[in-house]
Amino acid sequence: MVLSLLFYVFIVLVCFQILYFLIVFTKISFHKAFSTPIKELSISVIVCAKNEEENLKNFLPSILEQNYANFEVVLINDASHDDSLLVMEDFANKYKNIKIVNVKNNEAFWANKKYALTLGIKASKHPYLLFIDADCKPRSNNWIREMSSQFQSGKNIVLGYGAYAKIKNSLLNKLIRFETMLTAMQYFSWAKIGIPYMGVGRNLAYTKNAFFEASGFMSHMHIKSGDDDLFINQIANSENTAISLSPDSFTISTPKTSFKDWINQKKRHITTANHYKTNHKFILAFYYLSQLGFWLLGILLLILLFKWEIVLTLFLLRILIQYIVFFGASKKLDEKDIIFFLPLFDFFLVAFQLTIFISNLISKPRHWK
């Protein structure tokens, strides 16, 4: 009786997963990237750095040498204790379109990145803001052009893809990039459907008016993380949000090289999801629970050989459809090399996210510092 019930639950989960892949994720698999030829907008590129002197030396030139006429680069030194400020000042002596905002720790907003970003945004002079992290670089010198081209009529938010650099012969690197690709598939697909719920600060744009009309980060200033996803979750809707999937609009970040560092990073990221709007939390939680149920029940029923022919057929059918849909998305996001590991990474991420959730219940994650 119990096994029969689990069997039927498994069938329902497989059907849900297949429908999710075909209805939601195909929005990205079959998306056609385009750039709207418009007059160049005035752009302020915002870079917030905390103890990033080496990354600033390596990555700032790729931002400053963009093929774009009217832009400034606002460099925010967030109370760094290394030579980040000196590096910024050195670049400012060579490039006239740099503005430096030197932030000192404030007792009310100690070690709060949102406070530093707010000061940088207030200091910016242009109406369109484009964000990138200090450990990132644009994939091409047309990054500003491609991202800004998505500010069409009525759109004041542009979600971009923040990829991670590829490291040869590193399984961890492939896993990190798979998780990043899956996250992007989620927020890009739901934005296309008309339910945008997050963006990543490694590659994100919005207007200055949108920031101040929403009172900036004030509604979640007490939450140290979430300057990107929580803010987008707060202000994005079906009318004001666009996405950019042109390869020239991508940014590339330095990935973690140890499993421990990656776990700590994901622990910080996952905590912000608790503060999403209720319908967004429901969508994400239901997808994850269907993933968890699919793997647990599928493996259990196969081990017990309960109607194993049907279970195995459904199991393989679901994986096959996932391969087809994810391969299309991986081509769009230039992550084709990780698709071979799809079932392994899919199973691992389900277990990994469960572990992170339990860990966060036990101990609070570390934030921007």
Side-chain angles (χ1 to χ4, degrees):
M1 181 64 179
V2 173
L3 286 179
S4 294
L5 177 61
L6 294 179
F7 172 73
Y8 289 116
V9 171
F10 175 74
I11 292 176
V12 171
L13 292 177
V14 170
C15 292
F16 172 80
Q17 289 263 293
I18 290 174
L19 288 174
Y20 196 97
F21 296 152
L22 294 177
I23 295 174
V24 179
F25 287 153
T26 51
K27 298 294 183 183
I28 298 306
S29 301
F30 302 126
H31 174 79
K32 292 184 178 180
F34 69 94
S35 298
T36 304
I38 58 174
K39 181 180 178 181
E40 285 196 353
L41 304 172
S42 299
I43 303 290
S44 291
V45 178
I46 311 291
V47 184
C48 190
K50 190 174 186 69
N51 304 321
E52 298 277 10
E53 60 174 301
E54 291 304 318
N55 284 326
L56 289 170
K57 292 177 185 177
N58 293 331
F59 299 141
L60 263 183
S62 63
I63 298 174
L64 292 163
E65 295 166 8
Q66 284 286 297
N67 178 27
Y68 202 80
N70 192 13
F71 76 101
E72 68 169 348
V73 178
V74 180
L75 299 178
I76 307 168
N77 177 46
D78 186 12
S80 299
H81 53 71
D82 66 356
D83 289 332
S84 291
L85 181 59
L86 294 177
V87 173
M88 292 177 181
E89 292 172 340
D90 184 53
F91 274 103
N93 290 330
K94 301 173 184 175
Y95 296 88
K96 301 306 180 184
N97 61 337
I98 288 180
K99 178 178 291 183
I100 296 175
V101 178
N102 188 29
V103 180
K104 297 182 180 180
N105 274 323
N106 180 293
E107 185 175 349
F109 303 109
W110 187 267
N112 193 324
K113 183 181 179 182
K114 294 174 186 175
Y115 171 68
L117 278 171
T118 300
L119 296 183
I121 291 171
K122 287 182 176 180
S124 64
K125 67 179 182 180
H126 294 315
Y128 294 90
L129 311 175
L130 178 55
F131 296 83
I132 186 171
D133 284 349
D135 63 347
C136 299
K137 65 178 181 179
R139 177 171 169 168
S140 81
N141 63 358
N142 288 317
W143 169 61
I144 297 178
R145 185 178 303 279
E146 289 294 328
M147 286 292 288
S148 64
S149 71
Q150 301 302 318
F151 279 115
Q152 308 156 47
S153 176
K155 306 295 184 183
N156 53 31
I157 301 170
V158 181
L159 309 179
Y161 182 52
Y164 281 106
K166 299 177 182 180
I167 299 176
K168 290 184 178 180
N169 303 317
S170 170
L171 190 62
L172 174 62
N173 178 256
K174 286 183 171 60
L175 177 60
I176 290 174
R177 289 192 292 114
F178 176 79
E179 189 272 338
T180 302
M181 182 186 79
L182 178 59
T183 299
M185 288 172 63
Q186 290 275 26
Y187 69 75
F188 280 139
S189 296
W190 283 106
K192 285 275 289 180
I193 290 171
I195 310 177
Y197 70 89
M198 69 162 286
V200 293
R202 304 188 299 275
N203 197 9
L204 175 66
Y206 49 79
T207 63
K208 202 169 181 177
N209 279 343
F211 180 79
F212 287 115
E213 285 176 2
S215 300
F217 306 123
M218 287 309 298
S219 66
H220 48 87
M221 184 68 81
H222 61 289
I223 305 168
K224 289 192 174 182
S225 57
D227 54 275
D228 46 8
D229 61 339
L230 283 184
F231 182 68
I232 297 303
N233 191 264
Q234 173 190 350
I235 70 169
N237 58 54
S238 61
E239 302 297 327
N240 67 4
T241 305
I243 68 172
S244 181
L245 284 178
S246 164
D248 280 352
S249 73
F250 297 171
T251 61
I252 302 175
S253 304
T254 303
K256 301 298 183 183
T257 54
S258 77
F259 197 74
K260 180 180 179 181
D261 288 342
W262 184 53
I263 289 177
N264 288 333
Q265 181 186 56
K266 297 317 298 178
K267 286 179 69 175
R268 293 194 304 271
H269 292 171
I270 289 176
T271 55
T272 61
N274 293 328
H275 304 281
Y276 288 0
K277 294 174 182 175
T278 301
N279 60 322
H280 300 159
K281 288 193 289 186
F282 176 81
I283 289 169
L284 296 175
F286 202 75
Y287 174 76
Y288 171 74
L289 291 174
S290 72
Q291 291 276 84
L292 180 63
F294 166 78
W295 284 105
L296 289 179
L297 294 182
I299 292 173
L300 176 64
L301 292 171
L302 286 174
I303 290 175
L304 298 176
L305 298 178
F306 185 83
K307 299 185 184 294
W308 68 269
E309 301 95 335
I310 299 175
V311 173
L312 182 60
T313 300
L314 292 173
F315 196 91
L316 295 177
L317 176 63
R318 181 268 191 194
I319 290 177
L320 175 62
I321 293 175
Q322 185 183 28
Y323 257 115
I324 295 171
V325 174
F326 276 51
F327 180 73
S330 71
K331 289 203 304 183
K332 293 288 188 302
L333 302 175
D334 192 26
E335 304 285 10
K336 295 189 297 294
D337 62 308
I338 60 180
I339 290 301
F340 176 79
F341 301 91
L342 178 56
L344 173 64
F345 288 164
D346 191 53
F347 172 78
F348 181 85
L349 279 183
V350 170
F352 175 74
Q353 289 167 342
L354 181 62
T355 303
I356 292 295
F357 176 76
I358 295 173
S359 177
N360 279 348
L361 292 177
I362 298 173
S363 62
K364 294 183 178 180
R366 299 170 67 183
H367 296 277
W368 175 270
K369 44 181 280 186

